[in-house]
Amino acid sequence: RRSSELAADKSSTDRVISGVIGGFAETYNVDANLLRIIYTAITVFSGFFPGLIIYLVAMVVVPEKS
C-alpha cells in the first residue's frame, strides 16, 4: 500500500463539525462515536488547548473524501 492509502480523509456523511473524526473512523473501521468520546476525554483532561489546536490543524490538513 502507498502511504496515501493509509491516510484518512474527512467523511462526507459522518460529520458533526468537519468530518475529521468520522473520516478516521471510516478509514480505520472504528465506531465514530467511540472515537469522539475518546477525543473529547483526551481534550478535556489535557486542558482543552492541545486538543483544540490538533482538531483545527486536522480540519485544514486532512483532505475531503473524493
Side-chain angles (χ1 to χ4, degrees):
R1 289 180 124 183
R2 297 178 324 182
S3 62
S4 63
E5 292 175 0
L6 298 175
D9 296 323
K10 290 182 196 171
S11 175
S12 58
T13 57
D14 193 2
R15 290 178 171 239
V16 171
I17 296 176
S18 70
V20 171
I21 294 177
F24 277 98
E26 290 173 2
T27 300
Y28 298 107
N29 199 24
V30 179
D31 181 47
N33 290 324
L34 177 63
L35 283 184
R36 289 182 182 108
I37 290 168
I38 292 168
Y39 175 79
T40 302
I42 291 170
T43 300
V44 167
F45 291 116
S46 70
F48 287 99
F49 190 70
L52 180 64
I53 294 300
I54 290 168
Y55 196 86
L56 292 174
V57 169
M59 285 174 58
V60 173
V61 173
V62 175
E64 292 286 334
K65 184 174 257 184
S66 54

